[in-house]
Structure formats: C-alpha cells, structure tokens
Amino acid sequence: MSAEKTAITPTRAQDFPEWYQQVIKAADLAENSETRGCMVIKPWGYGIWELIQQQLDRRFKATGHQNAYFPLLIPLSYLEKEAEHAEGFATECAVVTHHRLEAVKDPVTGKTKMIPTGELAEPYVIRPTSETIIGAAFARWIESYRDLPLLINQWANVMRWEMRPRLFLRTAEFLWQEGHTAHETKDEAIVETRMIHGLYEEFLRDHLAIPVIPGEKTENERFPGADMTLTVEAMVQDCKAIQAGTSHYLGQNFSKAQNISFTGRDGAIQHAHTTSWGVSTRLIGTLIMAHSDDDGLVLPPRVATQQIVIMPITPKEDSREAVIASCHALAETLRHQLHHGEPLRVHVDVRDLSGGVKKWEWIKKGVPIRIEIGPRDIETRKVCVQRRDQAVAAKDFPVKEDFIRQATEILDEIHQNLLARATEFRDANITPCDSLEAFNSHWANETPGWLLTPWAGTPDQEAEISKQHKITIRCVPLDTVLLPHAGEKCFVTGKETATRALWGRSY
RNA sequence: CGGGGCGUAGCGCAGUCUGGUAGCGCGCCUCGUUCGGGACGAGGAGGCCGUGGGUUCGAAUCCCGCCGCCCCGACCA
C-alpha cells in the first residue's frame, strides 16, 4: 500500500464535485432517495443537524425569540397578495391540487392504481418559505404597538422544485429555520436584521469553524421583496462561494401587502417593519466542503455527532474483558465533562471488526479524536490519542488522567486549527483588483478565487459582467471587515467610490 | 426546461451491436488461521436485468412509450 493512498477517490484536486459526493457516502451522512431531488439524511448526518439546531436555538432564545409552527401548505391566494415576492418563487413550487386517493383495480392486469380525486377549489403551495402564511398570522396577532416587537422563529422543512439538486447544498426539500419578526420602526427592524446577521457570522466561526465574509447583497441579488439582504459568504476548497445564511430587512413591503398594521403611540394606524432570516441544512454541505480532506469528512468538534471514539484493542482473549471495561469506564468519565456547556459525546466501538477497518471508518466519518486502548496501555496507564486534524499516522500517548483533563482543550484546539486553516485559505484566495483587464483575465483560471474591487457600476452593468464570467457579486463587505484595499476608482466606470464589491463563482 | 450519457446483486461494472431465461470485483454471512490494525484461505447467501407495452417459439439484448439518475447549460431566496 503506497503512502499516498487516500481513503477518498477521487481526490479534491482530481475532481472536486465527485470528491464531495464520495465524502458524503464514505461518512454515511446522506443518500439520494427515490423522491426526485430529495435526500435521506442518515443518522451520522442528522446528528450534525440536531447539534446545529440545538446550539442555534439556544442563541435565538437568548436574543428574545420564540419558536412556533405554521402549516406546510399555503393557500395559493396568499402568494398572489405579494406580487414581487411571488414572482421570485413561482416557477419552482410544488402544488397540491387534490385531497383524496382512490384505489382503482385494473380489470385486465388486476393491479391496483391510485388515482388522485377530489380536486381542491383552491390549490395549496408547499411552502418554499413562509413569509406569506406567517404574515397572515402576524396580521391577526398585531393590533397595538404594545404587541411589538413580535419575534418568531420556526424550524421546518420547505420545498423548492430545484432543477439541479446536490446533496445538502441544494435539495428540493430541505430543513431550515426561518425567523420572522415585526417591529414598530425601521430602525428597530434594521437592528434586528443586523443582530441576526452578526449571530450567524459568529455561529459559523465559533461552532462550524468557518470564517465568512459578512456583507450586503446588491439590488440584483436581493431576496424578492426585500429592501436589504445581508449575507454571510463562505469560501470552500474549490474557491467557490456558498451563501451560508441570510438576514433580510423587508421594510413595509410585506406588511402593506398583508395588512400587518397596528395602532401607534400617537393613535395613528401604521404598518409594521418586518424581517426574515434563515440558515438551512446547506450549512452541512458548506462544512463538508470547507474542512474535509482526501481521507474524508473532518468535523468541527462542536457539531460532531460523536466527538471521541474509543476503540478497544483486544489481541488476547484473556485481557479482552479488562480492556473493554476500561474503555467503557473512560467513556463514562469523559461524558461527565462539559465542553461549551454540553457533555462530551463519546462512543465506544466494540464491534468485532479488525482494528484497521474501524480506524479508517472513523477517519472517513470525521471524528475529531480517536482513542485506542489495548492491554499494554492498561499496564502503563496511558492512552493512544489520534486527531483528525493531524496526519493519519500521528499518535500521542498521554497518561490517561492527563488526557481526561485535556480532552476539552484538545477539542478546542482542533476547532482553532480548522478555523485557522480555512481562514488562511480564504485570505490567500481573495485578491484586490482595480483594473478591468486583470479582472477579465482572472476568471479564465480553473478555480478562480474571489476578487475585491472598487465598485460604482449600475445593476445592468453588474448583470452583464456576471453573465459574461459566470460570477456574481457575493456581497458588498461590511466596513468592519478588514480586506486588502484596491484603489478608489471603480474598475468599470472609473468613478471614485468607497464601495467594495466581492466577486466570485458560487454554488 | 434544452443538449449529451446512463439505468443488470448493497456498491462499481461486463454482457446488449451478432436474441437462447445472467457473470466479475468489492462488500455481506459461516468456519478456520490471523490481528496494536484498512489481513488471508475455504465455503455460502443475494438479481422477475428501471417500468409499461410490442415483435418473436424464445427478450437484459430488437422496436415504441413512460419513469428515474448523472454531466453541461438555463434557473436558484
């Protein structure tokens, strides 16, 4: 076996999209289902989502939001109320038109067919997002300025009839959270929109170890019906951009269309200012592409379904029981430790498989720390520690008690290493650019990084450049983001400008 | 939704041109030898060849419809 052999074929460099699919398969995260464009999320993948959910939910609650649940099916007429918004979704919705199935037996073949009957007077749309149905509820619930702000979040599935699905990144049905809030004033609504934007940025950084560029979408790229769309843009290992989360200020557009109004402090009827914001199972696709390597998945510790896997090494029958007991005892001790407020997630793999097979399985699944304990380790009171952020062959043999003490620190160290690695990669692949010529030639590269340019162009100019190079303005980065400067004059119009646009290919 | 490719065992594929009711590798199960390591040997299980129809004595193979998947576009909150 050659030293270069990788657990995943092809490698990232050989065929990135195929590598991505193979990582998902090797880590047993998800698979395509019989239902078009939809995936089955398997336990190892769903566990990641549950952790994302729990940790984000805690942050939403801490910032004053409450969870609620709204119907999956939205009356068609609700979408008709908000024209601009509805146009943005119209072509990709699944529509429910019947409410009964009738079993009909074919007299010739004897086979039973199910025929939809009972056509609905008004069809329902399977929610592509819930602005309209939640807005209708808000219209009922809000009467006075005293009812504001109304801060609601929903964990749900939504459906968009995607033409080109990709596991986790773009599936027809996906899981997400959608926050919907209503406020008395524009300022308050914008504070909310920005607060959530910041929350997403921190979550990506501190929980998923993904450094993002926070910024605002241009008018062309905005959510249909929004006055302002904020985004967090992640760069993955083929230098493409992934919009990892968005937060929208919807102005009074939706509240006027849906009559979300209230009596103000001055007694006058006013329309509320609303926001909406969300992240989805796409985060899982983003973290796979951001961190994984040619041996498979690499999980950031805070969202690892299991953080530590202990593998008993039992070469001799007479010491077998003692080794396994020792592994369980260590696991139990570790489970009593807290890592960012949560008990360590530790698994003992007692399956009767050869050690090498087990070890590689957990490498491919991306477990942050692997522990091996054999008869010799019991005698020396040491444990064999291997880390997913280090070379496969790298091993450390600390005294067991020392490891127990250091376990949570090692997890944090792994997190920091992943974040540092991803940040370094991102920064190396963002280039300042203020010349049209350099800009145009840049996109001929095989995996072009992002360009940061001074920008004062029109939406039409933006659209033309986008089409020409198959790129988009990912965002206009926030002032607080420190990126290298590239002159003061727009690379297209030559006008002086303080605005910087970040261009790139995206998923 | 346009252009191309493909549906045969859990996975990857051969067989299709030149019809004669299925084969290889990996995986899986059993036994044995191994084993601080992605082991080896022997034996075994598993498929109405995507689906509906047609041609034929006979169809994985030929013809027509449908469904699904993959790649490239268009679309993508």
Side-chain angles (χ1 to χ4, degrees), chain A residues 7-12 14-33 37-40 42 164-171 238 284-286 288-289 292-297 364 507:
Chain A
I8 301 295
T9 336
T11 61
R12 288 164 292 181
Q14 287 163 344
D15 184 349
F16 195 84
E18 182 59 24
W19 163 85
Y20 174 72
Q21 309 259 64
Q22 293 303 325
V23 169
I24 290 172
K25 195 169 162 185
D28 210 27
L29 294 170
E31 62 189 18
N32 279 311
S33 77
C38 297
M39 61 178 169
V40 176
K42 300 178 82 172
R164 220 174 134 181
R166 275 166 164 284
L167 287 172
F168 290 114
L169 285 182
R170 181 172 288 112
T171 47
D238 62 351
I284 297 175
T286 309
I288 296 167
M289 287 196 168
S292 299
D293 63 21
D294 294 337
D295 286 325
L297 186 63
K364 288 185 276 191
Y507 276 103

Side-chain angles (χ1 to χ4, degrees), chain A residues 68-75 78-79 82 85 89 93 125-138 152-160 174 176-181 223 248 250 254 258 260 274-278:
Chain A
Y69 188 80
F70 297 85
L72 169 71
L73 300 181
I74 300 176
Y78 282 30
L79 285 170
E82 224 294 335
H85 175 65
F89 289 102
C93 288
V125 173
I126 298 178
R127 61 182 165 216
T129 177
S130 302
E131 266 75 10
T132 57
I133 200 157
I134 292 181
F138 278 21
I152 296 292
N153 177 63
Q154 156 167 272
W155 290 97
N157 57 339
V158 289
M159 179 160 248
R160 299 168 187 183
F174 59 90
W176 77 345
Q177 63 64 217
E178 47 180 324
H180 296 270
T181 69
F223 178 70
H248 316 285
L250 304 173
F254 282 80
Q258 302 187 278
I260 305 171
T274 63
T275 81
S276 71
W277 29 274

Side-chain angles (χ1 to χ4, degrees), chain A residues 381-448:
Chain A
R381 297 202 57 77
K382 290 185 172 180
V383 292
C384 173
V385 177
Q386 299 170 276
R387 296 165 48 155
R388 191 59 182 86
D389 63 333
Q390 295 177 350
V392 169
K395 294 178 178 185
D396 195 20
F397 291 89
V399 171
K400 184 158 78 172
E401 280 64 33
D402 290 340
F403 171 73
I404 292 168
R405 223 171 296 121
Q406 295 159 358
T408 60
E409 287 167 35
I410 296 174
L411 289 173
D412 282 337
E413 209 179 293
I414 292 172
H415 175 97
Q416 289 307 329
N417 283 346
L418 297 185
L419 180 62
R421 211 180 281 173
T423 306
E424 199 179 319
F425 181 85
R426 180 197 67 180
D427 292 348
N429 287 290
I430 298 179
T431 314
C433 174
D434 57 6
S435 111
L436 185 58
E437 198 189 349
F439 185 92
N440 284 334
S441 62
H442 174 79
W443 306 107
N445 290 319
E446 192 151 337
T447 53

Side-chain angles (χ1 to χ4, degrees), chain A residues 137-269:
Chain A
F138 278 21
R140 293 192 300 273
W141 298 350
I142 296 167
E143 292 180 305
S144 149
Y145 72 89
R146 293 193 176 89
D147 297 325
L148 298 174
L150 182 56
L151 308 172
I152 296 292
N153 177 63
Q154 156 167 272
W155 290 97
N157 57 339
V158 289
M159 179 160 248
R160 299 168 187 183
W161 209 258
E162 297 292 351
M163 290 296 127
R164 220 174 134 181
R166 275 166 164 284
L167 287 172
F168 290 114
L169 285 182
R170 181 172 288 112
T171 47
E173 180 186 8
F174 59 90
L175 304 179
W176 77 345
Q177 63 64 217
E178 47 180 324
H180 296 270
T181 69
H183 305 263
E184 189 180 350
T185 64
K186 176 177 178 176
D187 285 354
E188 278 181 40
I190 286 179
V191 166
E192 166 80 8
T193 310
R194 293 196 186 285
M195 187 275 290
I196 292 294
H197 187 221
L199 189 157
Y200 285 159
E201 183 194 353
E202 282 175 32
F203 180 79
L204 270 285
R205 184 193 64 209
D206 298 341
H207 295 245
L208 306 184
I210 298 173
V212 293
I213 304 289
E216 184 175 347
K217 288 287 185 190
T218 58
E219 192 186 325
N220 289 8
E221 302 288 325
R222 249 178 233 156
F223 178 70
D227 281 359
M228 172 176 82
T229 289
L230 302 179
T231 177
V232 286
E233 296 288 323
M235 181 189 284
V236 292
Q237 294 178 74
D238 62 351
C239 291
K240 283 196 183 178
I242 298 185
Q243 178 178 304
T246 47
S247 181
H248 316 285
Y249 168 59
L250 304 173
Q252 294 175 309
N253 304 332
F254 282 80
S255 63
K256 282 179 178 163
Q258 302 187 278
N259 203 26
I260 305 171
S261 60
F262 63 95
T263 308
R265 292 161 203 271
D266 59 359
I269 304 281

